[in-house]
């Protein structure tokens, strides 16, 4: 036997395994945070149809093309489609979820600042797809 030592290889393997465990734990934590909907989140039913969005709040209030929400509250969107595939997108809040006929997809968010934000369809859904937009209006809580 020569003077060859395996220690550098074992150290390299140990560092790689430790990095893989750290990246896996971070990914698991990020996934848990994204999928954990707060218990007090208000559910809003979002329906995509050629070529507009409708929103229905828990109290039965319906809105077309505009969605009013309050700062500091959590909202869970149940996303439906009446006709073809759409994609519900609020770019400023990194909300993006497909709307598929016959299926309900969910996503949640909690707005932090008052203001207006664009809502767009991100899936080509027909000739007037470019005009399938809406407005998210984030308001201060009512006293």
């Amino acid at each position: 036997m020569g003077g060859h030592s395996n220690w550098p290889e074992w150290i390299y393997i140990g560092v790689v395994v430790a990095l893989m465990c750290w990246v896996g734990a971070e990914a698991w934590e990020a996934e848990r945070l994204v999928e954990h909907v707060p218990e007090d989140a208000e559910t809003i039913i979002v329906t995509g149809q050629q070529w507009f969005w409708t929103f229905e709040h828990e109290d039965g209030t319906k809105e077309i093309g505009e969605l009013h929400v309050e700062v500091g509250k959590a909202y869970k969107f149940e996303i439906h489609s009446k006709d073809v595939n759409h994609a519900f997108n609020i770019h400023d809040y990194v909300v993006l979820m497909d709307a598929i006929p016959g299926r309900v997809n969910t996503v949640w968010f909690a707005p932090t600042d008052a203001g207006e934000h664009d809502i767009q369809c991100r899936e080509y859904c027909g000739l007037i797809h470019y005009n399938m937009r809406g407005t998210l209006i984030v308001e201060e809580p009512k006293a």
Side-chain angles (χ1 to χ4, degrees):
M1 300 298 260
H4 179 73
S5 172
N6 290 337
W7 282 108
E9 288 88 2
W10 285 112
I11 291 172
Y12 176 77
I13 290 170
V15 168
V16 170
V17 168
L19 282 172
M20 290 176 66
C21 289
W22 179 74
V23 169
E26 290 292 321
W28 180 81
E29 178 66 11
E31 183 84 15
R32 189 186 69 77
L33 289 173
V34 168
E35 293 191 3
H36 174 74
V37 180
E39 289 182 19
D40 62 342
E42 179 184 329
T43 300
I44 297 174
I45 298 172
V46 178
T47 304
Q49 53 196 319
Q50 291 176 322
W51 290 277
F52 59 98
W53 296 102
T54 57
F55 308 98
E56 183 175 348
H57 295 264
E58 283 181 350
D59 64 359
T61 304
K62 294 182 180 178
E63 300 180 88
I64 299 174
E66 278 189 1
L67 174 61
H68 292 80
V69 297
E70 293 181 356
V71 171
K73 284 184 70 175
Y75 295 91
K76 174 185 168 189
F77 297 123
E78 291 183 356
I79 301 169
H80 304 253
S81 173
K82 283 192 171 180
D83 41 36
V84 298
N85 292 355
H86 301 278
F88 179 70
N89 179 228
I90 305 171
H91 176 77
D92 293 343
Y93 282 102
V94 195
V95 172
L96 177 63
M97 183 58 68
D98 289 336
I100 310 291
R103 184 173 173 175
V104 179
N105 288 328
T106 60
V107 65
W108 73 277
F109 91 120
T112 54
D113 298 312
E116 289 189 14
H117 306 276
D118 292 331
I119 298 171
Q120 292 182 289
C121 179
R122 287 287 182 183
E123 178 79 32
Y124 180 73
C125 56
L127 288 176
I128 310 177
H129 159 74
Y130 68 92
N131 204 26
M132 189 170 173
R133 300 171 188 226
T135 304
L136 171 70
I137 300 169
V138 181
E139 303 169 330
E140 292 294 332
K142 296 170 187 146

